Amino acid sequence: MSRATSGGTGGGLLVAGTTSDAGKSVVTAGICRWLVRQGVKVAPFKAQNMSLNSFVTQEGAEIGRAQAMQAQAARVEPTALMNPVLLKPGSDRSSQVVLMGKPVGEMSARGYHGGRQEQLLGTVLECLAELRGTYDAVICEGAGSPAEINLRRTDIVNMGIARNARLPVLVVGDIDRGGVFASFFGTVALLSPEDQEFVAGFLVNKFRGDVSLLEPGLDMLKNLTGRRTYGVLPFQHGLGIDEEDGLRVSLRGSVRESEVSAPVGEDILRVAVCAIPLMSNFTDVDALAAEPGVVVRFVDRAEELVDADLVVVPGTRGTVRALEWLRERGLADALARRAAQGRPVLGICGGFQILGEHIEDEVESRAGQVEGLGLLPVRVRFAREKTLTRPVGEALGEPVEGYEIHHGVAQVTGGTPFLDGCRVGEVWGTHWHGSLESDGFRRAFLREVAAAAGRRFVPAADTSFGSLREEQLDRLGDLIEEHADTDALWRLIESGAPTGLPFIPPGAPA
């Protein structure tokens, strides 16, 4: 049955969390998929995202991959409106600030929270208002915890936006890590009275066992806070969507959390991904992990490359730093030995640049002239303008599409053309992220890898990465539909937080 909001402004909800990685991204995607299946025109939104996993929209804007996947859950095209502020860490203390899909400079954490963040609140609210004027509902995702009391003054992604846009807040807690009741209560109790008015209730995530054993605690939580729990989502393996940061799992979860599907041929194929510093878009290997018989693991030691049939050097926000790290750990020498032996290596974006002969960087690391690994005839110069495109082409006789996010401009001086990069022997390099999601190309590439590795591996003829993603998003929608009080959720989205919610002391410190 179709649901629609009244008036000219769509409904909204902010999904906050007791901690980072509580499940905000997954819950937001699940709610989006549930709503669109009900006939609701819905969009995701995250005011400010800190992530090295990003995506390029059709209009050439860079946004977080999590928001792109949430847009897919909502069955809409992602745009910069859905993630107006993206922070891409370059070190522990500074990040590149991407505003409305375009980089506007590097900034320290102190500088950002010292004033720049507050200046962006107007932009963020304008984007949210535009989305709410277009869609029946906008499901917003918070960041970290709304009870970061040291950052509340400059907050534009949690309670700052909830109060300004008058959004009801649903707090998600990960019960699998323990302490969920204390986390729920403490989150509310550390908010000011004005902020607490918008916290409607809670959602328990990753529960294992008999829900009836949890219910007394949920009743006590309601008595203590005056706020109900809107659902208890069971723990399920491999349910993550594209992650924001860290070495966590998205579709890779099907490899790291559950058994790898049996191979079609006689052999499995082992893929080792170098876990380089500031690794970006590690989701590029999700499509490999989705193939039956392909085992993907992330490695940081040279000896772990020995039995790999394919080594991937992924993207990075710090190409020169990653190059130094590979040399320090002996991985650079291991890659050179592989190349000399005719064993497959694939470099993607920053990894492609690392495999080249020479890097000139006065932009990212400001290291100047740096020698690469010399495995590909490529010279790279970092430009201040960032390349943000959605290329389409052909490779290995198959259509391919992807996206590019990089400052490095590659001059290819030899080898066999491969997408925008080149191939020499069994060393491959390209700036294209996402190319392995093209099913025919991925199968052709894996056949080449298997032949070079001497493996009797056969790619499955019917693996569709796009279909697997849709199935995963439907599973997220099923979780919400089957384990949350969807009627109550819709009332929140349509009408806002209940009135008369009690204040829980002590509240935010003055």
Side-chain angles (χ1 to χ4, degrees):
M1 185 174 92
S2 175
R3 303 173 186 254
T5 58
S6 58
T9 300
L13 174 70
L14 176 68
V15 178
T18 56
T19 62
S20 295
D21 203 31
K24 298 183 291 292
S25 296
V26 169
V27 169
T28 299
I31 293 174
C32 285
R33 179 50 60 103
W34 159 64
L35 284 173
V36 76
R37 295 194 306 205
Q38 303 303 308
V40 177
K41 187 180 178 184
V42 58
F45 178 78
K46 185 159 186 172
Q48 173 194 291
N49 196 347
M50 178 172 281
S51 178
L52 287 171
N53 281 336
S54 57
F55 181 77
V56 179
T57 67
Q58 289 286 4
E59 73 268 30
E62 185 179 9
I63 66 171
R65 274 196 66 99
Q67 280 60 65
M69 285 293 287
Q70 289 162 356
Q72 185 177 350
R75 296 178 180 150
V76 296
E77 188 66 33
T79 72
L81 291 172
M82 298 172 185
N83 180 206
V85 182
L86 173 64
L87 305 178
K88 303 194 71 175
S91 71
D92 291 339
R93 298 193 174 191
S94 68
S95 296
Q96 182 181 65
V97 180
V98 179
L99 179 62
M100 294 304 294
K102 304 296 180 183
V104 294
E106 295 279 335
M107 187 167 289
S108 68
R110 180 176 293 275
Y112 184 69
H113 290 286
R116 176 63 167 166
Q117 190 176 30
E118 289 177 284
Q119 297 168 9
L120 296 174
L121 179 60
T123 299
V124 162
L125 291 173
E126 288 170 7
C127 290
L128 177 57
E130 186 171 342
L131 289 173
R132 294 182 78 183
T134 305
Y135 293 89
D136 298 331
V138 179
I139 308 303
C140 307
E141 179 187 345
S145 161
E148 306 288 359
I149 55 179
N150 56 314
L151 302 177
R152 177 60 185 91
R153 181 180 63 82
T154 57
D155 172 42
I156 65 170
V157 66
N158 290 306
M159 300 312 300
I161 194 170
R163 277 177 60 182
N164 275 281
R166 305 197 65 78
L167 293 172
V169 178
L170 184 69
V171 180
V172 178
D174 178 359
I175 197 170
D176 192 53
R177 66 174 62 184
V180 75
F181 291 114
S183 298
F184 281 146
F185 183 88
T187 296
V188 178
L190 279 177
L191 300 178
S192 69
E194 295 80 6
D195 284 348
Q196 288 191 23
E197 290 178 13
F198 292 91
V199 179
F202 314 105
L203 187 75
V204 177
N205 192 29
K206 300 182 185 178
F207 179 71
R208 305 175 192 251
D210 185 347
V211 176
S212 65
L213 299 177
L214 188 66
E215 288 171 352
L218 300 180
D219 291 339
M220 286 186 274
L221 182 67
K222 184 175 181 181
N223 291 334
L224 287 166
T225 66
R227 291 157 175 86
R228 58 164 297 177
T229 297
Y230 284 78
V232 178
L233 308 185
F235 187 100
Q236 291 193 19
H237 289 287
L239 272 182
I241 62 173
D242 288 2
E243 294 286 352
E244 292 184 353
D245 51 29
L247 191 55
R248 301 199 180 100
V249 293
S250 50
L251 280 179
R252 276 188 296 114
S254 63
V255 171
R256 300 187 78 192
E257 295 179 355
S258 29
E259 293 182 5
V260 178
S261 300
V264 175
E266 296 180 44
D267 287 343
I268 63 171
L269 209 62
R270 298 173 178 85
V271 179
V273 185
C274 296
I276 55 180
L278 297 174
M279 181 168 50
S280 62
N281 287 70
F282 55 76
T283 47
D284 282 332
V285 299
D286 286 348
L288 296 178
E291 282 284 348
V294 176
V295 181
V296 177
R297 66 184 190 272
F298 286 74
V299 304
D300 59 4
R301 296 182 299 179
E303 54 268 30
E304 294 178 292
L305 303 189
V306 174
D307 68 344
D309 302 306
L310 169 67
V311 174
V312 178
V313 187
T316 174
R317 173 81 167 87
T319 301
V320 171
R321 177 178 168 186
L323 179 58
E324 293 171 348
W325 181 87
L326 289 169
R327 286 181 167 135
E328 289 167 359
R329 302 186 72 87
L331 288 157
D333 290 337
L335 289 168
R337 287 193 296 271
R338 288 187 65 89
Q341 295 164 359
R343 304 179 66 199
V345 176
L346 171 64
I348 302 174
C349 199
F352 167 42
Q353 297 165 9
I354 285 169
L355 298 180
E357 299 170 342
H358 180 83
I359 298 171
E360 181 183 341
D361 181 11
E362 298 292 351
V363 176
E364 191 175 78
S365 68
R366 296 182 176 84
Q369 310 282 339
V370 178
E371 294 303 312
L373 298 187
L375 305 184
L376 290 174
V378 176
R379 301 174 73 83
V380 176
R381 178 185 57 81
F382 275 66
R384 298 199 176 277
E385 189 76 14
K386 182 184 280 191
T387 297
L388 296 167
T389 62
R390 292 273 292 271
V392 176
E394 183 178 302
L396 303 179
E398 298 286 347
V400 192
E401 58 183 71
Y403 56 100
E404 295 186 48
I405 306 170
H406 54 91
H407 284 280
V409 178
Q411 179 187 4
V412 179
T413 60
T416 302
F418 173 63
L419 300 177
D420 70 330
C422 66
R423 171 189 183 182
V424 174
E426 295 305 323
V427 180
W428 315 62
T430 178
H431 272 132
W432 290 26
H433 294 290
S435 62
L436 293 167
E437 296 177 18
S438 298
D439 296 326
F441 166 71
R442 181 181 65 255
R443 286 192 279 268
F445 176 70
L446 288 177
R447 282 192 289 269
E448 294 258 357
V449 169
R455 295 288 185 188
R456 290 170 293 185
F457 169 85
V458 179
D462 57 352
T463 301
S464 167
F465 187 71
S467 296
L468 289 172
R469 265 190 171 157
E470 280 297 306
E471 290 172 12
Q472 187 186 43
L473 292 170
D474 276 332
R475 289 176 66 199
L476 296 180
D478 292 344
L479 273 180
I480 298 300
E481 190 167 341
E482 296 169 10
H483 300 282
D485 185 339
T486 53
D487 286 337
L489 273 181
W490 178 251
R491 286 194 295 272
L492 277 185
I493 293 167
E494 188 177 37
S495 304
T499 57
L501 292 169
F503 169 68
I504 306 303

